[in-house]
Amino acid sequence: MCSTRKLGKKRKACSRRSTCSILMFNPCQLNELCVKYVLEPKVVKVLVNYHHFVLTRQIKTRHTSPKLLGQTDEILCIDKPPMFTCSYGGFSRLPHRAKVSTPTQLLNCEKATIQIHEYLALTYDYETASGTREFWKQEDEESWRVWACGCGECDSCACMQSGCCNRLDKETSGIVVAAKTRRGFPVIRKQFSTAHSLEAGGTEKFYFALARGQVKIPTTTQERSPDWIHGPDGPPSNRRGRIQIAIRFDQSKWKAFPYNDGGMTPGQDGNERSRKATATGGGDWDEDGEQGEPANVRLFALTFYDPIAWFSNDANEKYTLLRVQIISGRTHQIRFHCSEIGHPLVADDLYGASQSERDWAKRVFLHSYQTKFLEPFSDKWYEAVSPLPEDLGQLLAGLQLDRVKERCPLFLSRRKHSQLHRIFKPYDPDQELLQVHAAPWNAREILQEKMKTLSGRNTPSWGNSTAQRQPNEPDKFSQNLQRWKWEDQCWGADLSWRATSMDEDESWGTWESKGAEPEPKRPRLEIPAAEPANAGQVPCTPPYPDAKAW
C-alpha cells in the first residue's frame, strides 16, 4: 500500500472519484466510512477480504478449506468439510472436476460442491497427488470421457483420485485418509473394505450422529428375517445397540432399502425398481457426482451405536446424540440403519426426518469423528481424530441438554461450547490429531522402573538377567512387555483384535498383543494378507472406551 503522505495529487484525484477515502483507510481496522461512497460492491468485498486476511492470515473463500489432521511418509489425513464430494474409484466414467489451476480458485468456484481429491491434488505434492495432476493433463490432451479401470487398487486408480482411500457422504464432515504412495495405496484400500473390516487389522470407524427421539439400547433382540436384526450387544456393564440389516441400494431414488425385512420378496419393494440394476461392477452416480452401491444386490451392513446424551427443544421434541461405529462401509449406512429402528437423523428428510428441520439444521447431523487403521509397511496403529465442527457444536448448544450418560468421556470439539462441557472440550491446537499407538524407544527401561516400583525391589529386575532364572523358565519380563497395553494418553504394545465366537464370550472381541516396538524406527515390512473370516465369526474390536481405555 502507498503511504498517504506520498500520495499528493493522486490522493486528491482518488477523493474526487469517490472510490474510497484514502485518509480513512487503515489495513488493521475496517472503517465503513472509508467505503461509504463506493458504487462497486466488488471493491467493498475486496477490502473486507483483505481485512480478514490481515487479522487471520487466511484467505477468505466461498467454501471452507479442509484442515490437515496429520501425515506420515505413507498416509495423509484431512478433515473434510460438508459439501465436498468423494466421487472416485469403482466406476468407469471420469469424475467431474472444476478444472482450475490453484486451490484458492477451487475454493472460490461457483459450484455448490467440490471434489475432495481435486483439492488434494492442487494443494499437495506427494506421489499420488502429483500423479493425479499428470493424469489430468493426459485427460485434457486426449479428451478422455471414459476410464477403463475401476478396481480402486491399482497404480492408475491411485493416481486418478489423489490416493483417497475412503468416502464420506456429501453433507458428512470428518476424516478422509489418503495414501501418499502408489505402493501403499492398495494396502490401505484393503483395510477400508467391508470384508477386511471383519478380520484382524481392519479399520475402526466412529461417528457422531444426532437422531430424533429418545434412543435407548434394546433389552431383547428383534429379528424380522435373517437379514433384519436389531438388538443389544456386549455385557450388561458395557452394552450398546447392534443393527445388522442388509441393504439394497436403489440408484434411481438414490436411497437404501432393506434387502429383506420379512414382509416381501428379498431384493424387492413393491413397484420400486432400479433404473440400472447391475449385479457386478461399481455403482452409478447421483446428480452431484457421488457414487453409490451396486443395484439390487444384497449388501451386508453392520452398525453399533451407543447413546451418550439426550436433548430437547422448546417444543419438547426429543433428540439423542449417538456415538456410532460402522463395520461395513455402505452408502447411507448410518442414515438408513437409524431410520430402520425408528430414529432418523436430524435434517435427513430422505430417510424420514421433517423437511422443516432444514431451517435450523442446515445439513444432516453426521460427523466422522475417529478412525483407527494400520500404516502400510511399518505395522503401526494410527488413530486420527476430527474434532466436532463448529456448526454442529452450535446446533447442539442451541438445544436443551437433559442428561448425559454416566462415565461419558470428554470428546474434542473445534470450539468451546459451555453448554456442552460435560460432553465436549475444545481441542488444544498444539495437540496432535493423528497419533501413533506404538511403544517408545526406551520401553524396556520404563517398564523396568515400573516393575521395580511395584515390587519394591532396589536390585535390577529379574527379567533383565538370564542368570536369575532356570534355563527352561520363560522370560517373564518380556512377557510383561508384550502384555503392556495402552491406557489413557500412554504408550503400549501394538495391538490388534481377533475374532471370537459369540458362544465363547458376550463381548464383541478381545485384544491380542502383537508385540512392543523396542526402537523408534525399524525396517518396514510387508503386511501379510489376512485370513478370511470364518462363517459365524463376528467383527471384534475393543468395547466402548471409558476414560481409561485406549
Side-chain angles (χ1 to χ4, degrees), residues 194-207:
T194 298
H196 199 264
S197 296
L198 296 171
E199 305 165 351
T203 56
E204 299 174 17
K205 298 160 283 188
F206 298 87
Y207 290 72

Side-chain angles (χ1 to χ4, degrees), residues 402-469:
D402 296 334
R403 64 187 180 95
V404 179
K405 180 182 178 179
E406 294 182 2
R407 300 190 303 274
C408 178
L410 288 178
F411 303 98
L412 299 180
S413 64
R414 287 284 178 186
R415 297 289 183 268
K416 181 179 180 180
H417 304 284
S418 57
Q419 303 92 326
L420 307 175
H421 69 278
R422 297 168 59 189
I423 313 171
F424 295 99
K425 63 179 180 180
Y427 87 105
D428 184 359
D430 296 329
Q431 177 182 356
E432 295 290 339
L433 295 177
L434 179 64
Q435 297 185 354
V436 59
H437 288 195
W441 65 272
N442 58 342
R444 180 174 290 272
E445 288 76 8
I446 294 176
L447 189 55
Q448 276 186 345
E449 294 297 327
K450 183 179 181 67
M451 294 179 64
K452 287 169 58 177
T453 303
L454 294 177
S455 61
R457 298 184 180 185
N458 296 324
T459 58
S461 172
W462 41 259
N464 195 31
S465 174
T466 58
Q468 297 179 0
R469 65 176 188 269

